Amino acid sequence: MSFQQALSGLNAASKNLDVIGNNVANANTVGFKASRAEFADVYASTVMGTFSNNIGIGTKLNAVSQIFTQGAISVTSNPFDVAISGEGFFRMDNNGSIVYSRNGQFHLDANGYLVNANGLRLTGYAADENGNINAAAPQPLRLTVSSIEARGTTEVVQGAVLDSRSPVIDRATTPFDPNDSTTYTHATSIAIYDSLGNTHTLSTFYVKRGPGEWDVYTALNGTTTPDPDDPSLPGVHTLFFDAAGKIDLDKTDGRGVFNVRVDGATLGTGATDLEFEYNLVATSQTGQAFSNELQRQNGYTSGRLTSFTIDENGVLKANYSNQQSRAQGQIVLVSFVNPQGLVPAGGNNFLETMLSGTPRLGVPGSSNFGTVVSGALEDANVDLTAELVNMITAQRVYQANAQSIKTQDSVMQTLVNMR
């Protein structure tokens, strides 16, 4: 029986060295998860059962388990490199079958799909042409490298602080003239865009007509926008403010929101008519110098693709030369109740099994899923120092079992030599 015990010990030590050697060999493999050999003792059973004075007959390899601890994150220069910080696996499409991985070394293939070195496609939620994520079902993520078309301005929001201390300008004696600064109290401007992406300057003029009463005029490229009822006159809108300096919505024209329309022929660019909603609800009146607190519009010129970025929630964005960005998809992560039940499939991939449980989908940063880091990779979680110590220990165990065989052989030789 001693020979059997020692042989099982040699076999176990050899398997342990194999596992340690594999860990060491993959110390530089991105996303690799170290393994450990788990052993169990072996006892012979009898018809009557096991007795307390039974002597074991050796050991056996019970399992080789993955250790799914977090690896260190290293920064790279590739924007498509992605590291998972926390729980989750990338969901990879292997010609219709699904595998899971922690290796985030991705690049674009000839068709625009995000793939790894083995050509497996990263899956996620697709986005429509307006950048809205469709979370119906994951699919291989595909990025487009086309330019973004121009968008004409349809909304302008202006939130100015008007100086209540300013003198009143009489409407009858001092008619508004955009070229005469004595006919208005304050002025500001913002760039807006027509349907072809051409830039135009929208100027806004504020004229104080009385306590808490202001007229608002607009001009495009220096020419006042016309009154819709009488195009020969500049369009005018009246703002009223209450004692707290807020817009009195019951008295104010259009409750602080009005439409501006400029004929396409006036633009002179070949674009369609420019019509937008002008929102002044955020305008206020206080006893301080004039200032612009809020100013924005939703148009932009055309732009060419300059770069791709991935945020911590896994949203892939295309960035354009016109300072616009648009979502093109979102990476999904997968978690398992029992990651130890996954089966290594090679190539840094894992396969689900009945022991791992059903995969649960989620986006980075949601629920208990980790976040993702763009331009970074997760290193192997192999502790080389510990592995080298384990290697020495396994070597000593192997030597001890070999010595056990040698000792047993010596005992047997003694018996053979007896006369």
Side-chain angles (χ1 to χ4, degrees), residues 216-295:
V216 179
Y217 299 87
T218 56
L220 194 71
N221 302 327
T223 302
T224 55
T225 55
D227 187 312
D229 298 322
D230 186 353
S232 65
L233 298 175
V236 59
H237 306 273
T238 301
L239 300 180
F240 288 93
F241 297 90
D242 59 24
K246 304 298 182 183
I247 287 183
D248 188 332
L249 298 179
D250 294 330
K251 297 180 180 179
T252 296
D253 286 357
R255 301 177 68 85
V257 180
F258 57 92
N259 293 322
V260 177
R261 182 179 180 278
V262 179
D263 188 84
T266 302
L267 297 176
T269 63
T272 59
D273 296 348
L274 178 59
E275 186 171 0
F276 57 89
E277 183 182 82
Y278 202 177
N279 188 325
L280 296 175
V281 174
T283 303
S284 62
Q285 175 189 255
T286 65
Q288 68 181 50
F290 172 79
S291 64
N292 262 328
E293 302 295 321
L294 174 64
Q295 192 176 57

Side-chain angles (χ1 to χ4, degrees), residues 94-416:
N94 184 16
N95 294 321
S97 62
I98 302 301
V99 298
Y100 308 94
S101 177
R102 292 280 294 198
N103 186 340
Q105 292 176 300
F106 303 121
H107 64 273
L108 290 180
D109 68 8
N111 297 313
Y113 289 100
L114 272 174
V115 299
N116 62 16
N118 297 320
L120 277 63
R121 295 175 175 177
L122 176 65
T123 66
Y125 297 131
D128 62 21
E129 59 182 9
N130 295 317
N132 301 311
I133 303 296
N134 181 3
Q139 57 186 281
L141 290 173
R142 189 178 189 182
L143 304 182
T144 59
V145 296
S146 59
S147 299
I148 186 173
E149 295 182 356
R151 174 180 178 177
T153 299
T154 59
E155 180 185 26
V156 177
V157 177
Q158 182 83 22
V161 177
L162 307 179
D163 190 347
S164 63
R165 302 167 299 179
S166 301
V168 173
I169 299 177
D170 185 79
R171 184 182 293 109
T173 60
T174 311
F176 168 71
D177 182 352
N179 299 312
D180 185 354
S181 62
T182 64
T183 65
Y184 55 85
T185 310
H186 307 301
T188 185
S189 63
I190 184 175
I192 62 174
Y193 300 87
D194 62 25
S195 61
L196 297 178
N198 298 298
T199 306
H200 303 274
T201 301
L202 175 69
S203 301
T204 304
F205 304 89
Y206 303 91
V207 186
K208 186 175 181 181
R209 298 304 190 189
E213 180 183 353
W214 296 72
D215 279 349
V216 179
Y217 299 87
T218 56
L220 194 71
N221 302 327
T223 302
T224 55
T225 55
D227 187 312
D229 298 322
D230 186 353
S232 65
L233 298 175
V236 59
H237 306 273
T238 301
L239 300 180
F240 288 93
F241 297 90
D242 59 24
K246 304 298 182 183
I247 287 183
D248 188 332
L249 298 179
D250 294 330
K251 297 180 180 179
T252 296
D253 286 357
R255 301 177 68 85
V257 180
F258 57 92
N259 293 322
V260 177
R261 182 179 180 278
V262 179
D263 188 84
T266 302
L267 297 176
T269 63
T272 59
D273 296 348
L274 178 59
E275 186 171 0
F276 57 89
E277 183 182 82
Y278 202 177
N279 188 325
L280 296 175
V281 174
T283 303
S284 62
Q285 175 189 255
T286 65
Q288 68 181 50
F290 172 79
S291 64
N292 262 328
E293 302 295 321
L294 174 64
Q295 192 176 57
R296 69 171 184 265
Q297 60 84 41
N298 64 348
Y300 46 81
T301 189
S302 59
R304 58 179 177 80
L305 180 70
T306 58
S307 65
F308 288 104
T309 56
I310 304 173
D311 68 17
E312 65 178 6
N313 299 120
V315 177
L316 294 91
K317 292 183 178 179
N319 304 305
Y320 300 91
S321 59
N322 58 358
Q323 310 306 311
Q324 298 297 309
S325 63
R326 182 171 293 175
Q328 293 206 0
Q330 185 174 23
I331 296 171
V332 298
L333 297 181
V334 178
S335 71
F336 295 89
V337 175
N338 176 29
Q340 298 268 347
L342 295 172
V343 174
N348 294 328
N349 300 316
F350 295 92
L351 297 173
E352 66 177 279
T353 67
M354 292 182 62
L355 295 178
S356 66
T358 303
R360 182 172 64 91
L361 295 176
V363 297
S366 67
S367 185
N368 63 330
F369 288 97
T371 57
V372 294
V373 183
S374 176
L377 293 171
E378 181 188 10
D379 297 338
N381 65 349
V382 176
D383 184 340
L384 275 177
T385 301
E387 294 298 335
L388 292 175
V389 172
N390 292 338
M391 189 181 298
I392 294 172
T393 303
Q395 180 185 11
R396 295 304 182 198
V397 170
Y398 193 96
Q399 291 172 333
N401 279 281
Q403 185 63 38
S404 179
I405 292 176
K406 183 178 179 181
T407 301
Q408 185 66 21
D409 178 63
S410 178
V411 170
M412 292 294 293
Q413 187 62 43
T414 301
L415 291 173
V416 170

Side-chain angles (χ1 to χ4, degrees), residues 6-24 35-40 59-65 387 390-391 393-395 397-399 401:
L7 284 172
S8 69
L10 285 174
N11 184 58
S14 178
K15 294 289 180 59
N16 196 18
L17 283 169
D18 289 343
V19 172
I20 295 170
N22 187 60
N23 290 341
V24 173
S35 302
R36 70 179 182 190
E38 298 176 356
F39 300 96
T59 186
K60 68 176 182 178
L61 179 65
N62 215 29
V64 177
S65 300
E387 294 298 335
N390 292 338
M391 189 181 298
T393 303
Q395 180 185 11
V397 170
Y398 193 96
Q399 291 172 333
N401 279 281

